[in-house]
Amino acid sequence: MLPRGRPRALGAAALLLLLLLIGFFLFRGDLDYERPRPRGAAAFDGDPPADPGGHNGSDCILPRPRPPKCELLQVAIVCAGHNSSRDVITLVKSMLFYRKNPLHLHLVTDAVARNILETLFHTWMVPAVQISFYNADELKPQVSWIPNKHYSGLYGLMKLVLPSALPPDLARVIVLDTDVTFASNIAELWALFAHFSGVILLRLDRLRQAGWEQMWKLTATRELLTLPATSLADQDIFNAIIKEHPWLVQPLPCVWNVQLSDHTLAERCYSEASDLKVIHWNSPKKLRVKNKHVESFRNLYLTFLEYDGNLLRRELFGCPRPPPPGAEHLQRALAQLDEEDACFEFRRQQLTVHRVHITFLPHKPPPPQPHDVTLVAQLSMDRVQMLEALCRHWPGPMSLALYLTDAEAQQFLRFVETSVVLSARQDVAYHVVYREGPLYPINQLRNVALAQALTPYVFLSDIDFLPAYSLYDYLRASIKQLELGSGRKAALVVPAFETLHYRFSFPSSKAELLALLDAGSLHTFRYHEWPRGHAPTDYARWREAQAPYHVQWAADYEPYVVVPRDCPRYDPRFAGFGWNKVAHVVELDAQEYELLVLPEAFVIHLPHAPSLDISRFRSSPTYRDCLQALKDEFHQDLSRRYGAAALKYLTALQQPRGPT
């Protein structure tokens, strides 16, 4: 029980879609009316009211309304931070799965969430979904004067200002919390505007007419005379308003807010699964909450958590809407492909737009430093075990792109959370690129990781290489010494080595590495398979070098380099195995980057099973023929951009095969 004089928690009717989406039940549609008495009882205690006739809550469900065909449904969500952004995606998946109407999502976000969600929705390209963003930081001054002990902080008060924050011509909106899961078509909820305008549905137009902003501020000021701070964020303010003005609210059946916390009797809301509309994980325990039917609810949630979001890119037939940006051009290009073409997979992969979830886990950018370096790499689920060793070797910032399915993304999340090494690193940014298509889009992944690097310089590496323990500090010192910040275009080459042993003692210095090299425990990278890929590094000279030295570009050269963050991007046409990195080094040379080998730097490649793309390359003449066709296209592009200067690359492009 709450202290006398304080409004009791609205629980099931109010906390659901995080905002109790207040509106007005207008008698005869007139604002100047005698306030009607509330019809029926709202469950303000968090439990549905007991029915005196012994019927459960599902008997009181309104007849399912016919969703208005093609009507645009307006939805508002407040979201801040990395974790909340992941929750929003699961919520949106559940909405998209059942929806039959166009949606307009109004997202009130901080800078972190906007960066994540803007990229995600742009690359998701879901038809008939419009996105608008609103800056939560600009709204903070309107609520920052309210003391608040709720874990959501100021963002938990943002719903109070939605009527003034959303566009003035927006009359109705459904407001959702990020921790709800839909089990039905959201159009059914929207259709209830025909019966109510309260509790879960915000009638923005009528709230504005009634002076909502002044109303909630006066109520909040009065409540804070007796409350030291709100404990339920905006919920306390809404409770107080409803206690004073009960005519403002018209409750909905609790099937629209099946709350899963330890103290609710959610099972009174439904008698069978078809009764369920929205499930609300409003307990801090989330999926660990105790509930009679929690296993079934958890399975529903996990279904959407791991559901392939690519399958939700489906058209709404009979509801013409403007396509997502770039979708028409993409469809025309796909329509021109010949499925009988032996290189069809390559062509289609080039046109694939992958969903991208940047900073999938909480990330704290490093403080700005003029010579700082971010390690950039990409990986799939079968290389995740490399991450802990990499973190031990590289203490600086990293930007890593992971090629995962939706289900694998959740496995990766659990892997990081249970790893002492990985969970302690907040300067590693993980960016999930969701899997689609038969080929590994290696250069698209590299570009995603490169675009999200925040330091002035980047070390372009691969995930199966471990850098020297001192490499991070050595690179920063070299950048400063070579005065690269003065605008000098240089690519610093980090010599690459490999071991064929799964267990070996990693050298702590160049001297130790040379000893292992002489003993046969280490080798120059790919010396036995593709020596020309790193031959221009001139390992014999490196053994004796005391200072950086210049090398010249040569055919098939593919060193690992440190370059400015604004360096040329990788050519995304190269997917799978072969020439993906070589093409990038060609571009660096064409743009007149110096190639400088660092005398004390090194990375070592660890052994692993070959990837599927490598196996296909080695066994399929068609694969090699398609790669050659891509190389020919690449050379044509070079000729258009660089003219006669591109002729020197022609020999390299005519090679029948190439390295990674």
Side-chain angles (χ1 to χ4, degrees), residues 255 303 318 355 581:
V255 292
T303 296
R355 282 180 297 137
K581 189 150 53 66

Side-chain angles (χ1 to χ4, degrees), residues 127 230 262 280 318 413 500 546 573:
T230 60
D262 291 342
H280 187 195
L413 173 62
L500 303 181
Q546 301 295 318
R573 290 174 295 187

Side-chain angles (χ1 to χ4, degrees), residues 64-361:
R64 178 173 297 181
R66 177 189 293 269
K69 183 175 177 60
C70 297
E71 182 177 355
L72 181 63
L73 311 188
Q74 309 283 349
V75 178
I77 303 171
V78 178
C79 174
H82 300 86
N83 295 336
S84 183
S85 297
R86 290 201 310 273
D87 292 339
V88 164
I89 296 167
T90 306
L91 161 61
V92 170
K93 282 183 180 180
S94 70
M95 277 196 295
L96 293 176
F97 184 84
Y98 295 106
R99 67 105 179 215
K100 298 182 185 298
N101 287 68
L103 298 175
H104 187 169
L105 304 184
H106 302 266
L107 304 179
V108 180
T109 64
D110 65 352
V112 169
R114 174 160 186 168
N115 193 32
I116 294 170
L117 296 175
E118 200 165 40
T119 301
L120 178 80
F121 283 110
H122 176 74
T123 55
W124 200 348
M125 301 182 73
V126 181
V129 173
Q130 182 179 346
I131 310 294
S132 296
F133 287 93
Y134 305 84
N135 189 344
D137 291 335
E138 295 179 356
L139 303 177
K140 283 182 179 180
Q142 299 184 49
V143 294
S144 59
W145 57 275
I146 302 176
N148 180 28
K149 295 186 295 185
H150 194 263
Y151 64 86
S152 60
L154 289 179
Y155 299 102
L157 299 166
M158 291 291 177
K159 282 80 65 183
L160 292 167
V161 301
L162 283 179
S164 59
L166 297 178
D169 59 346
L170 182 60
R172 298 180 292 176
V173 70
I174 298 172
V175 182
L176 302 176
D177 195 356
T178 60
D179 59 354
V180 302
T181 305
F182 272 84
S184 62
N185 187 350
I186 191 174
E188 296 179 35
L189 179 58
W190 182 264
L192 293 177
F193 270 121
H195 303 287
F196 306 105
S197 50
V199 182
I200 299 180
L201 309 172
L202 262 183
R203 284 303 302 258
L204 297 173
D205 50 354
R206 296 175 182 175
L207 285 171
R208 295 178 185 122
Q209 292 175 39
W212 167 254
E213 183 173 358
Q214 182 181 16
M215 181 187 297
W216 77 258
K217 287 182 177 180
L218 289 175
T219 303
T221 302
R222 187 163 54 250
E223 285 298 305
L224 291 172
L225 295 177
T226 57
L227 286 179
T230 60
S231 59
L232 300 176
D234 59 0
Q235 186 70 62
D236 287 322
I237 309 301
F238 285 126
N239 290 348
I241 294 172
I242 293 171
K243 182 180 179 182
E244 185 173 349
H245 308 286
W247 51 273
L248 284 175
V249 197
Q250 192 68 27
L252 291 178
C254 61
V255 292
W256 288 103
N257 182 26
V258 179
Q259 294 196 50
L260 299 184
S261 60
D262 291 342
H263 304 295
T264 59
L265 301 176
E267 65 270 17
R268 293 187 185 178
C269 286
Y270 53 89
S271 61
E272 54 188 53
S274 60
D275 293 341
L276 298 173
K277 303 297 183 184
V278 176
I279 298 167
H280 187 195
W281 302 90
N282 62 316
S283 167
K285 297 179 181 179
K286 300 303 179 186
L287 298 187
R288 301 189 307 275
V289 69
K290 296 178 181 179
N291 182 276
K292 184 177 181 180
H293 300 124
V294 70
E295 192 64 29
S296 297
F297 297 140
R298 186 184 295 120
N299 289 339
L300 178 66
Y301 172 80
L302 293 176
T303 296
F304 291 118
L305 184 71
E306 301 184 355
Y307 190 82
D308 185 353
N310 298 325
L311 301 179
L312 296 170
R313 289 168 163 165
R314 54 178 183 247
E315 297 285 345
L316 290 182
F317 296 110
C319 293
R321 302 288 300 178
E328 286 185 310
H329 173 76
L330 181 62
Q331 289 299 325
R332 286 195 298 268
L334 287 169
Q336 294 174 3
L337 297 182
D338 180 5
E339 294 190 20
E340 301 301 321
D341 183 357
C343 300
F344 174 74
E345 287 185 358
F346 279 88
R347 307 296 184 192
R348 184 174 59 178
Q349 191 75 53
Q350 294 171 17
L351 297 174
T352 299
V353 178
H354 294 272
R355 282 180 297 137
V356 178
H357 186 148
I358 60 175
T359 53
F360 186 72
L361 296 175

Side-chain angles (χ1 to χ4, degrees), residues 591-658:
Q591 295 193 22
E592 300 181 340
Y593 276 72
E594 301 176 67
L595 293 173
L596 285 168
V597 181
L598 298 177
E600 299 294 328
F602 63 86
V603 291
I604 299 177
H605 180 267
L606 301 185
H608 58 76
S611 69
L612 177 62
D613 286 333
I614 293 178
S615 301
R616 294 174 66 183
F617 177 87
R618 290 171 173 164
S619 62
S620 171
T622 300
Y623 192 108
R624 295 194 293 271
D625 291 343
C626 294
L627 178 60
Q628 184 61 51
L630 288 179
K631 292 161 66 175
D632 293 340
E633 291 179 12
F634 178 70
H635 182 259
Q636 293 171 10
D637 289 345
L638 286 177
S639 298
R640 281 196 299 269
R641 288 185 288 128
Y642 301 111
L647 292 177
K648 73 172 184 176
Y649 307 116
L650 182 59
T651 301
L653 288 159
Q654 296 303 318
Q655 294 294 331
R657 55 160 290 173

